[in-house]
Structures are given as C-alpha cells and as structure tokens.
Amino acid sequence: MRTKLSLFIMAILMVIVSSVSAQDTVTIKWWHINTNTAEGAFWQTIADEFVAANPGVTIEITVLENEAFKSRLFTVMQSGEAPDLFQSWGGGVLWEFAEAGLLRNIAPELDANDGEWRNSFSAQAALNLFELDGESYGVPWTWGAVGMFYNKALFEQAGLDPENPPATWEEFVAAIEALKEAGITPISLGGKDKWPGHFWWVYAAIRLGGQEAFLNAYNRTGSFADEPFVKAGEYVQSLVDMGAFPENFMALTYGDQFTLTANGGAAMELMGQWSPGNYNNVVEGGLGDDLGWFPFPMIPDGLGNPGDVLGGGDGYAVGANAPDATIDFLKYLTSVDVQRRAAEVWVIPTVGEAEDVVTDNPVFASIIKARNEAPYFQLYYDQFLPPALGGEVNDAVESLLAGLATPEETAARIEDMASFELED
Amino acid sequence: MSLVNTRNLSEVKLAEDQIRRDKRTTSLRKWLTVAFFVVPGMAVFTIFVLNPIAQSVRYSFYDWNGLGPLTDYQEFGNYERLFAHDVFIKSVQHTLVIMSLSLLIQLPVALAVALSVSRGALPGRRAFRALLFIPYVFSEIITAIIWLYVLHPNDGLVNTVLGSLVTDYKNQAWLGADLVLYSVFAVLVWKYFGFYMILYMASIQNVPKDLEEAARMDGATELGVLRHITVPLMGPTIRLTIYLAIVGSIQQFAIIWILTTGGGINNSAQVISTYLYKYGLQRFKPGYGSAIAVVLFVFTFAFSILYQQFIMRRDYED
C-alpha cells in the first residue's frame, strides 16, 4: 500500500515537473511544401540540428502538398492564426496577409549589424517581393528564373548546334521546324495544369512590352488589352498552329510534361529552376550532360530587354505571433553553410557566398546569372497579381492554347478581371 | 338522491380541479420534455446553420479577401458583378443541362432497370443488382480519379477500347471543351444510378401483389399493369427521387471539380457550385463567394419549399 502511494505521488510529481519544463520550451510551427523525400529529409535534418543547438526550442513541422497547403493556409489565416514559419512566394498573396496584420515584421533583424543578414542575399529583387511599405515579412531561400530547358542530344539529332541555342524568335521557329522534320516533339507542355502554359503568354508579353507595358496595366494607366498583350497571344497561337506542342497537350498535366522531357520525348520545355529535380525523379541522373538552358528568345521589335526575367522561387514568411526563436531559425536556414548543403539537394542559393557551389553545374550557373542580372525581374503573375486576376490569366491562356479564344479575346478577358481587381 | 347528487357534484368539482391542476403540471412537464429534446438540436441548428447563413448574407455586401475586418461596403456590387459575369451565366446553364439530363435520362432508366430486375425472373439478377449498386458506395473523389484515367485522351480505357474496335478511330478528348459536360454527366449517372435503382426497387416491393394479380385477372396486359397499377403506386418514391435529383445536381461538386480541374477549359463544364468555389474561395474573394452562395441558397430554398408544398405534401399526409 505504502509503495503504491509513493509511486502515485512520484507519478504526480513527474507530471508537474514535466509540465513546468514544457512551459519553458518554445515551439516553432513550421509549414513547408517539400513533399519530395530527399528535400523533406533535408529540412528535418536542419530542424534537428537547430533543436539540438538550442535547448528549449522544439520545431513542429507540417509538410503539405502544394495545393493542399494553399487552401489550408487560407483557412488558418482567416481564423487569424498564422503558422510561425511558412512557405511563401512573396508578392500579392503575401501582401494581402501583411495588410491584414497576420505577419511579423522582421526588418529590424534583417537590418541589425549594418544590415548583415539583408546584404547576405544576392537575390535582392526576390527579397523585395517579401516587403511592403518598408516592412519585411520573410526571406527567399531558393530563387531562379523561368527559361528553356533543352535536350542537347535531340538538338544534335535534328541537325542543330547544341552549344548555340536559339536567341531570337526566328532562330527559335527554325529550330522547331527542324525538330519536327526529324520527328521529334519540339516542346513539352502540360496544358491541363494551366500554369505551365501561362509562362508562354507572360514571357512573350515581357519581351514585347517590357516592364513599362506591365506597370502601365498594373497601375491602371494602361490596360491588359494593350497591343503587347494581344500580340503575345498571337505568338503563342502561332506555336500551337505550328504543332510545336505534343499531341493532345491540353489534356496533359505538368507531371506528364516533365516526364516527357526527362524520357527524351520532347526537345524543349519552358519551366522554372525545379525542373532538373523532377527529371532526376523520373530517370536516375536526369538528362545528365545533355541538359542545357537558354533564356526565352527575343522577339523582333520587342520593347523589353532580352535579359528581362520571369521567375520566382520559394521563401519563408514569419507569422505575426511567431516567437523570437523563429527568426533565429530562419537565419540558420539561410546561413551560408545550410544554403551550400541545400544546393546539393535541390536549392539554388539566394545567399551570395553560397553561390559558388553551382559552378560545376552550368544550367544552375546560367539561371543564377539571369536572375541576378535581370534589368526587370517579373514574379509569376499568379503570385504577384491579386489571386483572382492571376487565376484568370491562367484560365484565359488555357483557352487560347486550346484554340477556344482569339488573342484579342484572351487579352480582353484578363482586362475585364483586372478592371475589377486593380481598381485602386 | 339529492344527497348523492350533491356529493357527486362536489366530487366532480374536486376531480375537475384535480384534472386542471394535473393538466397544468402535465402541460409544464410536456413543455419541459419538448424543450429537453428540441433545445440542443435547435442550438446546434442555430449556431451551425442559421448563423452561417446570416453571416454569408452580411459578407455578400462587402468586397472582402477573408482576412481582417469587413471595411469595403459594396451595397449590391457583388450581385451586380455576378449577374454581369458571363461565366456565371454559363455555369447556371450547365447546371440546368445536368439537371434536365438527370431527370430525362437517369431517372427513367433507373426506373426501367429497377422494374426489370425486380419483376422478371432473370438469372443472376442479384449479382446484377449488386454490380449496379457498387459505384454508389465509392467515395466521390475516388470515382472522379478512376474516371480521369478511364477518360484520358491518349491512353485511357475508353479510347483504347474504341480504338481497337473501330477502324480509323481518332482519340477523343472526352474531357475537352466539346464533350466534357456530357462526360461529366455520364460519370454522374454511373455513380448515382444505383442509388435511384435501389429506392425504386424498395418501392416496388411495397406495391401490393394482389392488386397486380387482380388487374391481370381482369385481362390487363403486363404493360397495362405497369402503367396503371405499379408505377402510380410508386408515386411517393418517384416524387422524392425527382426532388433528390434536382437538389443533387445543384449541389454536385467534388466529381465535377476533379474531373474538370476547376470547371474545364474555357469554363466548359463550370456549374454553380464549382463557380462558387473557384471565384469565391480559391481566389480569395469570400465576399463575392457569399453573394453566389446567397443566390444559390435563395433559389434552392424557394424550390424546396414550393416542391414540398405543392408536390410532396400529399405523400406525408395520412
């Protein structure tokens, strides 16, 4: 009886002690979307390292698939409880959260020690996308550019110079014709997922109208029905008419798209920096040395600069009620050491000192160069613009690619939504 | 006599008082009992049904992104935008198409199959019945994903089978702009057909056999028996299924959403419910979405009340 009683008392004491020590610990709630096994495992390692080095801190990781993440984040945001640290692409969506007071301003930490942390980033254009009215809400940890991934072996097979990819629209069209004649599908595209298709229209508009046309339309001094946006549609349509895309491409998904490229079923693909990772998942080693990259070709009489870039990447934003340890952890995530190690898995470093890891990777090196030197860096429309407008761009371009809308109708449809969404 | 009467009278009076007192306590007790059963249900209904409806009505007058307080009052701006948006008009039309098809094709066919399965002595009809009912058991998401594979334009089952049967067959984009609405309808029939069939079969069981026998004795043909005895006696069930089919086509969301990835190319299969989700929630416009929901609610509610009042009422009354 006595032993039972003392055991009971001990048990109660243990509960009290453990709850006291639980009060001392800080928990960081971290939501990321890296469902890929290697990437998820890497983040887990980083979290474990940070927890080991900082007693009293625990990190609660929630891994969500991209679309599931977006809808679930929106739900918790409506209840006013942001995760402490979560995936963000910057731009319009992030700014809506910031305006609602759901994010924590980390500008003081970025600017501490003469802006030590802020200046460590080479991707400054990316950093700006996490700012609004002088406040900062997050930082990018991988950032790149959308461009043309191509298969050098297939180029050679079609009698094209693999080391001298097309730079102008004429050369690009000539390459498409040559590939078709050699019986090779020129460009892989998964039209069903909409966003891979919208890159084509947006990039053509960037080359045709440059930053000015976009800013005019965005600030409502111009319109998305202006000439560059209509002409962008005509260029996209001409590719469809040429038969540049696979058979029934409007029914293919993005998964079908990169699988086709990885298996050598198509010669080119307009896509972002994550493509090589996807090729590796399909075929061990991906396309290897056959993989090349070139910027979107320049269009004759275009007002844009051939160096202008459409792109984006991933960052982490900090929730309004995040404990201070969150910012320390974010600093650790974007430290040179972690960036270097992450680059070995899939990341294109945003921190200048870590960029040297990709020197033996010509594809990543050209992407970093394009990203850092772009005179005008445009974030993906569907992240930069208000969600209703970004979504409409994707839908309208889908109809254009499917041959269900003319270039004029496409531009008019986007402008119709813009006139509602960009009133102020 | 009179004594007895007086006594009786006073007794009666006493008894009446007693009864009145009893009545008061019973009526109080009765009310307490009613309250005991009704209040929890009523509370849940108020908090989780009436309250959200009221909130939606309120939100529908604001331009709101779902975050932070309501500040941008729009009067009827959301409603004006809604009725001026060609995609919304399209989605109403598509909803009506699916509704009409399910009334004109799905229900009659389900009725015909139910009649033939329960009346004829078909061999293996039990297995047949089970087979037709299985799809109803599947979850909607699983159904939609299975059919995504079946209808895949390049290597889907339908195109492969047709390709091997028909010479010079060209692969059809079953979920492309031209066919998607009908493909979606076919999948909905496949999924819900079994449900209506089972309802009809249960109803056939309740038709008195002696009435049918009597009609036959009087020289009615099999068709005559069906037309004048069996089907009229299934009236309550048929009226119920019509109601379910109409409300079901308005509410149908998951299968259409997944099969068409958000309404199909050029909104070729956009229906009201998918329009609501896409333009209201997915694009961060809950204020606008609430306006859509209010319109949908008013329509469904009015329809339900009218249908219950004028068509189904006789089925409830003894």
Side-chain angles (χ1 to χ4, degrees):
Chain A
M1 200 58 211
R2 186 161 281 260
T3 46
K4 264 192 187 164
L5 188 69
S6 55
L7 272 175
F8 181 68
I9 290 169
M10 260 174 69
I12 287 180
L13 280 176
M14 272 163 71
V15 169
I16 292 170
V17 168
S18 61
S19 62
V20 165
S21 63
Q23 277 166 6
D24 285 347
T25 62
V26 176
T27 304
I28 302 172
K29 291 197 180 98
W30 180 23
W31 288 17
H32 73 68
I33 59 166
N34 298 98
T35 46
N36 177 309
T37 329
E39 298 167 10
F42 180 78
W43 284 144
Q44 185 65 54
T45 315
I46 300 303
D48 292 344
E49 285 170 11
F50 186 79
V51 170
N54 296 273
V57 176
T58 52
I59 298 179
E60 202 182 290
I61 302 180
T62 308
V63 190
L64 291 161
E65 185 276 329
N66 192 22
E67 296 303 319
F69 163 79
K70 286 182 192 166
S71 52
R72 205 162 139 195
L73 182 72
F74 189 52
T75 312
V76 297
M77 285 302 196
Q78 279 179 313
S79 71
E81 285 166 30
D84 298 327
L85 192 65
F86 59 95
Q87 165 71 27
S88 171
W89 297 266
V93 178
L94 183 83
W95 297 335
E96 290 204 1
F97 293 148
E99 274 168 359
L102 293 160
L103 303 178
R104 174 167 170 172
N105 178 19
I106 58 166
E109 288 82 2
L110 275 166
D111 293 327
N113 297 330
D114 289 333
E116 189 188 2
W117 190 19
R118 183 187 294 280
N119 295 329
S120 71
F121 290 98
S122 61
Q124 285 291 329
L127 202 57
N128 293 340
L129 289 163
F130 290 83
E131 289 178 6
L132 184 70
D133 303 330
E135 296 199 338
S136 297
Y137 305 102
V139 295
W141 48 266
T142 182
W143 211 260
V146 173
M148 213 75 72
F149 290 88
Y150 72 108
N151 186 327
K152 292 182 179 174
L154 293 181
F155 263 51
E156 212 158 0
Q157 212 176 303
L160 298 160
D161 179 4
E163 299 310 323
N164 198 6
T168 67
W169 193 261
E170 288 93 350
E171 289 169 18
F172 184 57
V173 169
I176 290 172
E177 294 296 348
L179 286 160
K180 271 182 63 190
E181 246 161 67
I184 298 162
T185 304
I187 301 165
S188 186
L189 181 62
K192 191 171 181 234
D193 280 338
K194 304 179 191 201
W195 60 267
H198 106 290
F199 285 155
W200 285 93
W201 185 83
V202 175
Y203 238 131
I206 288 174
R207 290 288 181 264
L208 282 158
Q211 185 167 26
E212 205 190 329
F214 177 76
L215 285 182
N216 282 342
Y218 183 66
N219 297 325
R220 302 281 81 198
T221 48
S223 129
F224 281 103
D226 288 347
E227 203 201 338
F229 298 102
V230 176
K231 273 181 90 178
E234 289 168 7
Y235 277 95
V236 171
Q237 207 178 36
S238 72
L239 290 178
V240 178
D241 295 343
M242 230 183 278
F245 302 118
E247 188 195 356
N248 274 331
F249 68 93
M250 289 314 293
L252 304 181
T253 62
Y254 170 58
D256 297 325
Q257 172 178 336
F258 67 69
T259 307
L260 192 67
T261 318
N263 287 326
M268 292 182 276
E269 179 180 352
L270 181 64
M271 203 25 79
Q273 63 277 7
W274 52 87
S275 298
N278 284 329
Y279 304 152
N280 290 345
N281 273 352
V282 177
V283 184
E284 181 81 38
L287 288 173
D289 290 339
D290 284 338
L291 185 67
W293 188 91
F294 64 91
F296 192 86
M298 190 54 204
I299 292 178
D301 303 326
L303 301 175
N305 184 304
D308 290 345
V309 161
L310 170 72
D314 301 298
Y316 286 127
V318 182
N321 300 319
D324 294 338
T326 313
I327 295 169
D328 294 332
F329 178 55
L330 188 55
K331 269 188 194 166
Y332 182 61
L333 268 177
T334 53
S335 66
V336 177
D337 171 51
V338 173
Q339 282 261 294
R340 281 209 176 110
R341 284 156 56 200
E344 279 165 31
V345 188
W346 83 107
V347 161
I348 299 194
T350 50
V351 169
E353 256 187 83
E355 279 179 7
D356 54 2
V357 288
V358 298
T359 41
D360 57 344
N361 184 336
V363 169
F364 278 4
S366 357
I367 291 176
I368 287 188
K369 191 163 172 283
R371 169 196 90 185
N372 287 355
E373 292 173 5
Y376 156 46
F377 185 96
Q378 174 61 54
L379 179 68
Y380 315 127
Y381 274 19
D382 59 358
Q383 289 299 324
F384 186 82
L385 297 171
L389 180 52
E392 197 68 15
V393 172
N394 288 357
D395 278 5
V397 176
E398 185 193 32
S399 299
L400 173 75
L401 283 164
L404 297 167
T406 64
E408 289 80 13
E409 284 165 353
T410 306
R413 185 171 162 189
I414 293 165
E415 174 55 27
D416 172 62
M417 192 57 87
S419 65
F420 278 93
E421 295 297 321
L422 299 173
E423 264 169 319
D424 309 323
Chain B
M1 245 350 238
S2 66
L3 261 175
V4 174
N5 269 344
T6 345
R7 206 191 69 191
N8 275 359
L9 268 177
S10 64
E11 272 183 358
V12 166
K13 203 168 177 299
L14 272 174
E16 275 180 346
D17 283 354
Q18 183 62 40
I19 286 168
R20 210 167 291 142
R21 229 173 296 131
D22 279 359
K23 245 189 185 162
R24 209 170 298 145
T25 43
T26 19
S27 90
L28 183 69
R29 204 175 282 159
K30 203 173 110 196
W31 277 110
L32 276 175
T33 316
V34 169
F36 177 77
F37 285 107
V38 168
V39 166
M42 215 39 214
V44 170
F45 186 75
T46 310
I47 296 169
F48 293 109
V49 179
L50 295 181
N51 172 46
I53 292 174
Q55 284 197 12
S56 281
V57 173
R58 181 161 166 250
Y59 295 154
S60 74
F61 292 107
Y62 290 87
D63 184 14
W64 185 46
N65 64 5
L67 312 164
L70 297 163
T71 47
D72 196 354
Y73 184 67
Q74 293 282 313
E75 288 189 356
F76 287 94
N78 284 330
Y79 292 94
E80 283 163 19
R81 166 80 173 139
L82 180 62
F83 288 111
H85 195 197
D86 53 344
V87 180
F88 178 67
I89 308 299
K90 247 193 205 176
S91 62
V92 171
Q93 289 166 350
H94 293 155
T95 307
L96 292 176
V97 168
I98 288 194
M99 197 188 287
S100 335
L101 287 177
S102 88
L103 290 179
L104 297 175
I105 298 176
Q106 167 152 317
L107 295 188
V109 173
L111 182 58
V113 173
L115 285 170
S116 55
V117 168
S118 24
R119 293 166 65 92
L122 285 167
R125 64 193 180 123
R126 206 169 277 169
F128 188 62
R129 197 166 57 193
L131 213 63
L132 287 174
F133 190 66
I134 284 175
Y136 183 68
V137 181
F138 289 161
S139 94
E140 294 184 339
I141 312 286
I142 289 172
T143 306
I145 291 173
I146 291 173
W147 279 93
L148 269 183
Y149 287 110
V150 174
L151 296 173
H152 194 278
N154 289 351
D155 42 21
L157 182 70
V158 176
N159 276 340
T160 314
V161 168
L162 286 177
S164 61
L165 292 179
V166 185
T167 43
D168 295 336
Y169 177 76
K170 197 176 171 296
N171 278 353
Q172 292 291 318
W174 295 105
L175 298 172
D178 303 330
L179 295 172
V180 62
L181 196 59
Y182 304 101
S183 301
V184 163
F185 174 69
V187 175
L188 292 178
V189 169
W190 183 84
K191 174 85 169 78
Y192 295 105
F193 174 84
F195 172 67
Y196 294 116
M197 188 190 71
I198 289 285
L199 284 184
Y200 288 143
M201 285 169 68
S203 165
I204 291 168
Q205 303 277 311
N206 290 332
V207 174
K209 290 286 168 287
D210 42 356
L211 279 181
E212 295 181 343
E213 291 294 320
R216 276 192 204 105
M217 297 281 264
D218 289 342
T221 57
E222 269 309 302
L223 210 65
V225 173
L226 274 186
R227 236 183 88 190
H228 298 291
I229 310 285
T230 317
V231 173
L233 281 172
M234 291 169 69
T237 307
I238 293 176
R239 286 186 282 276
L240 176 72
T241 53
I242 290 176
Y243 177 73
L244 291 178
I246 291 177
V247 174
S249 9
I250 297 174
Q251 290 177 337
Q252 185 48 245
F253 172 77
I255 291 180
I256 303 182
W257 183 259
I258 294 173
L259 272 182
T260 65
T261 36
I265 296 177
N266 215 13
N267 296 303
S268 47
Q270 200 71 265
V271 294
I272 302 177
S273 59
T274 53
Y275 178 85
L276 192 166
Y277 185 73
K278 180 170 178 172
Y279 287 88
L281 301 179
Q282 207 181 34
R283 296 186 175 177
F284 288 64
K285 308 284 286 183
Y288 185 62
S290 296
I292 309 167
V294 168
V295 170
L296 188 59
F297 169 74
V298 167
F299 176 76
T300 319
F301 190 65
F303 166 76
S304 294
I305 295 287
L306 291 175
Y307 195 86
Q308 303 274 350
Q309 188 69 22
F310 291 109
I311 300 192
M312 282 174 75
R313 194 174 185 182
R314 54 182 148 167
D315 297 336
Y316 302 140
E317 285 169 353
D318 293 324

